[in-house]
Amino acid sequence: MKAFSYRVLAAATIVSAVPAFAQNPAPAPAPAATEAQCEIDQNKPKEVARATLSITKANAAMKGGDPTKDLKDVISALTNPSLKNENPVGRAYLLASAYVILLEQPGIQAVMPRSAVGIAENPTATIDLFAAADSAITIVENSSPACAVQMAPFRQQKAWLDVTNAAINALNANKLDSAEIYAKRSLTLERKSPYPYTVLASVAKARKNYPAMIEYSRQVITTAGEDTAYADVKVRAQYELATTLAERVKAATGAEKKTLAKEAIAAWIPLSHSQDNVEGTIAVRTLEEMYKAAGDSAQINKIYADMIADPAKYGEGALLQAGVVASTFKRPDDAALLFEAVVKKNPYSRDALNNIAASLLQAGENDKAGPYIAKLIAMDPNNPDNYMLYAFQYAGKLKGKVDAKTQKVYNDSLVYWNNKSEKMPVKVAFTEFSRNSEGTTLAGDIENRGTTAKTFALTVDFLGSDGSVLFTETANVGPIAPKAKKEFKIHNAKTGVYGYSYKPIL
């Protein structure tokens, strides 16, 4: 999985999605009569009515002028203690507008003396404009569900965007203290975005404060929800959380180890759904380790029960690794079902074909294994292990009740395939088959099992989903001394490969 680099939020990402304060921030146009409405009285008392006019003037002044005086007039009038019980929602609505617009103006700091923004009471004390804006917005939101919807854009205006980007920039510059301050300030105004939690999780991890990192990562996942705009952020947080929990499990002992392992299991399960082969494989492999650490190996089938029930939800890598888990725990029937699911997704998966044949043989389904062995040999003809599968098939048949004539046929077949495996002059083994956006890579080695040095030409067809040849590559490997091996590596920038086959080397 590629490392995640933090991106600075683009203004268009947020600002274009919400109404800018270019007009008087009055309630939205009246909705249909059947819909709930956000009713805000902007006409009384007279201080509220005057503040409405000041907000209108401030918006007009933003087009090339300075709205600061009008905004301070609004704040001065509406923070007068004598108005405490007068139209609290209307006052809060206008104060929220004034605070948010003021935060966008040059020279305005997040924390300032109260007198500097027009507040007469306790003038030498300070005011946190982000907290003040949040308090005012919250009053309006709490007045009705419709108002809560209408006030949502107030929280993600330019001031929030700027401080969130400041947190990201500070983190990227490894200025952890500043990143934390800016991220927490961002959360003061908007707690439904995953970005500030992402920053705080990274800061906590850098400080090795793992409990905090875990909590912030969970907040990232929660706030990202199912919004596709946050999909990448959510997946990265899920991996950070799951990986951190798994690392803590390895370092823990006793009861703590089991408790952490159960938390890690919950974190890794969603990641097993990944359609990415590498990510799915890692998730299932780690789940196996965590079940063992939790002392719950008897429940290991929970890893793959849903995969058997609904394999379409899972990627090839996860299904394949789940089959390996089932095989490891002596559940060949489950393993065969999982490997069959892989073959349905990718009929040219060499590993799945090998594993399903082995699982069927282990389960005593000898005849069913035959077609898979034949296809495997056709794709991978210089692998002695493939021919041994036929030997195992006939060994399995000999365990049944057969007459003497049939027994001789099975014995002869077993010897034939065993000899073919052992006497194969050239062995090809693969150590890597990777497919990603950067292309396709196939690597391995060729073993010369003969008595003279030779150079071998390995000609490989790379196959698409329907078995068609997408491209062909040849690796000339050698000279290779007798009983020696030499590595090869093939790379092609083309993508969309499902499998490969090669011409037999004689």
Side-chain angles (χ1 to χ4, degrees):
M1 192 172 124
K2 294 182 179 178
F4 178 59
S5 57
Y6 294 101
R7 292 181 300 129
V8 173
L9 306 182
T13 301
I14 295 171
V15 174
S16 65
V18 300
F21 289 111
Q23 300 177 351
N24 180 15
T34 57
E35 296 179 358
Q37 299 183 33
C38 176
E39 298 180 356
I40 299 175
D41 187 349
Q42 293 178 252
N43 298 311
K44 62 182 182 181
K46 63 181 182 296
E47 290 83 359
V48 169
R50 290 172 183 165
T52 300
L53 293 176
S54 294
I55 287 289
T56 302
K57 289 169 61 180
N59 276 302
M62 288 178 70
K63 299 175 181 179
D66 183 1
T68 304
K69 180 181 181 305
D70 292 308
L71 297 172
K72 290 181 179 180
D73 286 345
V74 173
I75 295 169
S76 177
L78 299 186
T79 55
N80 190 318
S82 66
L83 297 178
K84 183 177 181 180
N85 297 318
E86 297 286 336
N87 188 6
V89 175
R91 284 192 303 108
Y93 183 77
L94 293 165
L95 279 170
S97 303
Y99 289 138
V100 171
I101 299 173
L102 187 63
L103 277 165
E104 298 180 13
Q105 306 313 309
I108 298 298
Q109 304 297 317
V111 179
M112 300 181 69
R114 289 161 62 88
S115 60
V117 297
I119 301 176
E121 184 184 30
N122 197 9
T124 59
T126 58
I127 180 173
D128 183 327
L129 291 175
F130 277 83
D134 172 62
S135 296
I137 293 169
T138 300
I139 290 172
V140 183
E141 288 173 334
N142 290 341
S143 67
S144 75
C147 287
V149 173
Q150 180 165 312
M151 295 304 292
F154 280 60
R155 293 190 175 277
Q156 290 194 1
Q157 286 294 323
K158 187 175 182 298
W160 175 83
L161 180 70
D162 288 347
V163 77
T164 305
N165 279 335
I168 293 171
N169 288 331
L171 177 64
N172 288 339
N174 201 33
K175 298 178 179 178
L176 302 184
D177 290 345
S178 296
E180 181 179 31
I181 290 170
Y182 289 134
K184 288 185 175 180
R185 185 165 289 162
S186 170
L187 286 174
T188 300
L189 194 54
E190 172 58 284
R191 292 170 285 279
K192 294 181 180 179
S193 167
Y195 294 115
Y197 293 114
T198 299
V199 172
L200 290 170
S202 296
V203 170
K205 183 177 181 180
R207 293 172 173 167
K208 301 188 185 307
N209 183 353
Y210 296 113
M213 180 266 172
I214 289 169
E215 180 55 33
Y216 285 131
S217 293
R218 286 174 172 153
Q219 291 286 358
V220 174
I221 295 165
T222 298
T223 52
E226 300 305 317
D227 191 330
T228 55
Y230 299 139
D232 187 59
V233 175
K234 180 179 180 179
V235 169
R236 300 298 166 180
Q238 287 176 316
Y239 266 97
E240 287 287 338
L241 173 62
T243 301
T244 299
L245 284 168
E247 289 173 352
R248 295 191 72 206
V249 169
K250 293 175 183 177
T253 58
E256 182 188 16
K257 188 180 188 75
K258 291 184 177 182
T259 299
L260 288 171
K262 290 176 181 177
E263 290 185 37
I265 288 168
W268 278 103
I269 284 175
L271 296 172
S272 67
H273 292 221
S274 175
Q275 294 294 323
D276 181 278
N277 288 334
V278 176
E279 293 175 358
T281 300
I282 292 171
V284 174
R285 186 180 298 147
T286 308
L287 277 168
E288 179 186 4
E289 294 173 2
M290 294 302 102
Y291 270 101
K292 290 178 181 176
D296 203 12
S297 295
Q299 301 297 316
I300 205 82
N301 65 311
K302 288 183 179 179
I303 294 176
Y304 58 76
D306 188 59
M307 295 184 186
I308 291 175
D310 191 5
K313 293 192 314 189
Y314 297 86
E316 180 184 331
L319 291 167
L320 187 63
Q321 186 62 34
V324 172
V325 171
S327 297
T328 301
F329 283 84
K330 311 298 182 187
R331 299 178 183 182
D333 292 339
D334 290 347
L337 290 171
L338 291 159
F339 294 135
E340 283 176 355
V342 177
V343 172
K344 286 180 181 178
K345 282 179 174 284
N346 180 1
Y348 310 100
S349 170
R350 174 177 165 275
D351 290 337
L353 290 169
N354 176 82
N355 292 349
I356 191 173
S359 295
L360 289 170
L361 292 174
Q362 188 178 3
E365 300 283 356
N366 298 297
D367 290 332
K368 287 185 179 180
Y372 295 105
I373 300 171
K375 186 170 184 178
L376 186 62
I377 289 174
M379 292 171 56
D380 188 13
N382 280 89
N383 185 345
D385 294 341
N386 296 338
Y387 297 90
M388 280 302 297
L389 291 171
Y390 270 140
F392 291 135
Q393 180 188 40
Y394 285 102
K397 289 184 175 185
L398 283 168
K399 292 179 180 179
K401 292 183 179 180
V402 294
D403 57 44
K405 182 178 179 180
T406 303
Q407 185 178 41
K408 183 178 185 309
V409 170
Y410 288 169
N411 267 319
D412 290 347
S413 297
L414 188 160
V415 171
Y416 171 81
W417 290 112
N418 184 72
N419 288 340
K420 192 171 183 66
S421 172
E422 290 184 351
K423 296 177 180 180
M424 183 168 288
V426 183
K427 178 180 179 180
V428 178
F430 297 98
T431 56
E432 179 186 356
F433 176 45
S434 57
R435 300 160 286 166
N436 52 44
S437 60
E438 297 176 358
T440 304
T441 300
L442 182 66
D445 59 64
I446 295 179
E447 179 184 353
N448 180 3
R449 303 170 86 183
T451 58
T452 60
K454 287 186 179 181
T455 296
F456 302 96
L458 179 67
T459 301
V460 184
D461 291 332
F462 291 86
L463 311 174
S465 60
D466 59 354
S468 60
V469 178
L470 301 179
F471 57 91
T472 300
E473 296 281 356
T474 298
N476 292 305
V477 187
I480 305 175
K483 315 304 178 185
K485 301 178 183 179
K486 185 163 284 190
E487 295 179 345
F488 66 85
K489 188 170 187 177
I490 298 171
H491 178 77
N492 191 297
K494 293 180 181 178
T495 59
V497 172
Y498 274 65
Y500 58 89
S501 64
Y502 61 90
K503 294 176 175 59
I505 301 175
L506 303 176

